[in-house]
Amino acid sequence: MPDITASELTLEEKASLTSGASFWYTKPIERVGLPSIMLTDGPHGLRKQEEGGDHLGMGQSVPATCFPPAVGLGSSWDVDLVHRVGEALGVETAIENVGVLLGPGVNIKRSALCGRNFEYLSEDPIVAGVLGAAYVKGVQSKGVGTSLKHFAANNQEHDRMRASSDVDPRPLREIYLRGFQRVVEDAQPWTVMCSYNRINGVYASEDPWLLTSVLRDEWGFEGLVVSDWGAVNDRVKGLAAGMDLEMPSSSGRTDAQLVAAVRDGSLAESTLDVAAGRVIDLVQKVQADAGTIAGPLDLDAHHALAREAAGRSIVLLRNAPVAGGGALLPLRRDARLAVIGAFAEKPRYQGAGSSMINPTRLDTALDAIRDAATGDVTYAPGFSLAVGVDEAETAALREAAVAAASGADIAVLFLGLPARLESEGFDREDIDLPADQLAVLDAVLAVTENVVVVLSNGGVVALPFAERVPAIVEAWLLGQAGGSATADVLFGDVTPSGKLTETIPLRLSDTPAYLDFPGEFGHVRYGEGLFVGYRWYDARDLEVAFPFGHGLSYTTFAYADAAASVTADGDIEVRVTVTNTGGVAGREVVQVYTGLADSRVQRPERELKAFASVALEPGEAREVVLTVRREDLAYWDIRVDRWVVEGGEYAVEVAASSRDIRATVSVAIDGDAVTVPLSEESSLGEVMAHPIAGPVVQAAIAQMMQGMEGVESIMPEGVDMTKMMDSFPLGRVSMMAGDAASPEMIQGLIAMANAGSAPASGA
């Protein structure tokens, strides 16, 4: 296609480029040869609707491979695997002539109740950022774009079109924006999707601080900002703020608003030129690789990758020995098995809403177990997934489940959340499994202790039965090959290696956002601040069901020789030798956390900073090298409004989970120089810590104290007078010191300190 610039277009043509032609397509400008391109939903598969369009998954779409949603894939903690899935998604997107796949979602799992948690990677920004960047690189390596979403602080579905996420600067930067920053800086997604919500009262779609100052000026984003579908509130304000492309079509209404704003002078035409230019750049980027990847799609290869990814997504939560024997898992192939639970036959493999994929095929766990087993396999649904089932039918299903379990060596019980309980568009009301399912579990446990629970859920669920069930498999939502992958893990063809990217709490009331979710009257207060997920549970020393980073294996791993050193770039290089001490091959996810005990600011006890997935044969040892980036040690200093690395002796913990620390070493980090401008509101403590003003004030206080005879008589013995004065405002010192510190002298001291000059000799 010809090289086109915005200067070649009329005002009306430029305005038209900044909104969709239809639900999924941009507008063409045929006069200059600019074609239309298609953007469509992901993230874990291509949802290309055959005709028409909707954003809630109600319309039929072309068949595509349904890979594990982020709740599963994130649990792999595997950068290479996520990249390979991204490549496969890129191939399918390119074959279907789609220009941009709308994903990944890297929003933080602030609350377990968020109905869209299945589409997000973690409660931790480093996990979300690192894996999100791998996804973007994989997809875009095939010549199609991604859309990093939902930018930003979009952590609930309730009132999502209007609610204001009211969040303080430090948690906003350190928790909710950090993952986005990592993806933008490391992977440069072609587009970023702004979210529906407001942030501290301002709609994300019209926030110049968010879309221009932070995203472009600070992070160096080079692409296009697209709205979530229907997220535009005020199109003129949005364009001026940096929101380039409105989706879907407004039937020309908002285009006319932009034209009118340029003509009446309320919007600079140069601003419109920039947005139109970004749309042109995106179209040209898409067209440059159009047609280079042709079909037909290798359905078998992509299904095999989906199966591999699903197996690596499964987390073995518990595998305790049973009376008179070892652990139940892996299953013996010749064991008599009772498979119980409707999810075994009717899998819940993806979330509801805009990310619903029409899979190319669908494996069920029941079929896969029957294929893998050599012993008898009986099946009982146990419960119904339908709504309004009467008590008689419920009781009959439960009795049949008990009968099946009674005649088996092991009962494999599939429990989970029906699609009606978690979806895009609304949040969950609790974290409990349905009562009828728990009743089936109780009834089965009454006749056998040999029970394996397999969970199907997009968000964490309470596990009040954890100590009564010897084996628990968290199988999440695993995509179209999840049934076969589950059987692979159950029988030991695949050694489980997934680990939790979110904490499983004991009860909802323990969760960080419990008292501040989902807000009221259009506002939700992020009252837990920095203490999201494991940061909260550690700070409050709360017991949890299963901690962040937890996941068992069919083998064991030993850690040795942990060491940490500072590189020439200021990063921390962590080395540790990991050995597979068991009898089967397996993978270990090595995690590195840091902490600074004597920090001048509030900090979590530990924060994840690096991780690696390592495959080891039985008996194999390997030195694993992980890098903690210096910038990831930084906190957001609200005094100077920038990132600051605090100097000090950092604890570096090498761990198998956030509560399974295998080794701790320390490393000294040089801090960034921070000089806060002084004012009359500065405390004496802040002034005395100032490199220039400090010595002057200390000398003045010593002189003042000499003239305050008898002050000791009114002070308790041992009281440090300077500690009492530490928070006293500088501007009020003259009230106490009189002529020894007049207002004029104080103003002179402030001016001298802020100018960076030392006092003259004898001053």
Side-chain angles (χ1 to χ4, degrees), residues 119-202:
E119 204 171 318
Y120 301 138
L121 289 160
S122 181
E123 68 187 22
D124 182 86
I126 297 298
V127 176
V130 170
L131 297 183
Y135 175 103
V136 168
K137 289 177 182 178
V139 173
Q140 293 186 173
S141 71
K142 301 304 178 182
V144 297
T146 56
S147 195
L148 182 65
K149 63 183 189 179
H150 304 88
F151 191 58
N154 178 207
N155 309 105
Q156 65 187 62
E157 293 299 284
H158 174 75
D159 203 18
R160 63 175 177 163
M161 305 290 283
R162 306 176 304 163
S164 175
S165 299
D166 297 338
V167 54
D168 293 336
R170 281 195 64 198
L172 181 58
R173 290 285 193 160
E174 295 179 33
I175 303 294
Y176 298 102
L177 295 183
R178 202 167 212 155
F180 287 97
Q181 182 175 358
R182 172 65 72 96
V183 179
V184 168
E185 293 180 344
D186 283 12
Q188 279 293 339
W190 290 5
T191 77
V192 167
M193 181 190 292
C194 74
S195 54
Y196 290 119
N197 56 290
R198 294 176 291 153
I199 302 169
N200 294 323
V202 180

Side-chain angles (χ1 to χ4, degrees), residues 719-734:
V719 171
D720 184 349
M721 187 69 174
T722 58
K723 183 178 290 187
M724 291 188 64
M725 298 176 65
D726 187 70
S727 59
F728 201 87
L730 179 60
R732 302 180 199 179
V733 168
S734 59

Side-chain angles (χ1 to χ4, degrees), residues 341-575:
F343 292 109
E345 184 183 24
K346 300 175 180 177
R348 173 106 193 283
Y349 61 97
Q350 63 177 325
S354 63
S355 65
M356 285 192 69
I357 309 304
N358 180 16
T360 59
R361 65 185 73 167
L362 183 60
D363 298 348
T364 73
L366 179 58
D367 288 342
I369 290 170
R370 283 173 168 162
D371 289 343
T374 59
D376 292 337
V377 177
T378 58
Y379 170 66
F383 52 84
S384 174
L385 296 175
V387 178
V389 178
D390 62 39
E391 292 184 10
E393 182 179 352
T394 299
L397 288 169
R398 187 163 58 245
E399 289 171 7
V402 170
S406 299
D409 297 323
I410 300 172
V412 183
L413 183 52
F414 286 77
L415 306 177
L417 295 177
R420 66 179 183 273
L421 295 183
E422 56 177 354
S423 169
E424 177 182 351
F426 61 86
D427 293 318
R428 294 159 62 191
E429 296 179 0
D430 54 51
I431 60 171
D432 300 327
L433 288 167
D436 60 334
Q437 296 184 32
L438 293 175
V440 172
L441 174 60
D442 288 339
V444 169
L445 283 170
V447 297
T448 179
E449 67 170 352
N450 296 335
V451 176
V452 178
V453 168
V454 181
L455 298 169
S456 299
N457 48 300
V460 297
V461 293
L463 303 173
F465 50 81
E467 295 299 321
R468 297 189 294 135
V469 173
I472 304 175
V473 175
E474 177 53 90
W476 304 119
L477 308 180
L478 294 177
Q480 68 181 50
S484 294
T486 300
D488 291 340
V489 168
L490 290 176
F491 286 102
D493 296 327
V494 170
T495 298
S497 60
K499 298 211 174 190
L500 296 174
T501 62
E502 55 190 307
T503 307
I504 300 180
L506 288 175
R507 59 192 67 84
L508 180 61
S509 58
D510 289 342
T511 59
Y514 177 65
L515 296 178
D516 291 304
F517 186 96
E520 54 196 19
F521 305 127
H523 287 266
V524 54
R525 175 69 185 154
Y526 284 46
E528 68 280 5
L530 297 168
F531 297 92
V532 178
Y534 66 92
R535 293 164 168 84
W536 167 267
Y537 300 105
D538 287 350
R540 297 180 63 82
D541 196 24
L542 285 174
E543 185 181 354
V544 299
F546 295 99
F548 175 86
H550 170 77
L552 302 177
S553 174
Y554 295 152
T555 188
T556 52
F557 300 95
Y559 291 57
D561 304 323
S565 60
V566 180
T567 69
D569 295 331
D571 299 334
I572 302 176
E573 183 180 86
V574 181
R575 293 177 175 270

Side-chain angles (χ1 to χ4, degrees), residues 66-85:
C66 181
F67 291 94
V71 65
L73 191 59
S75 296
S76 74
W77 296 64
D78 192 299
V79 171
D80 176 68
L81 178 66
V82 174
H83 188 276
R84 287 193 289 129
V85 170

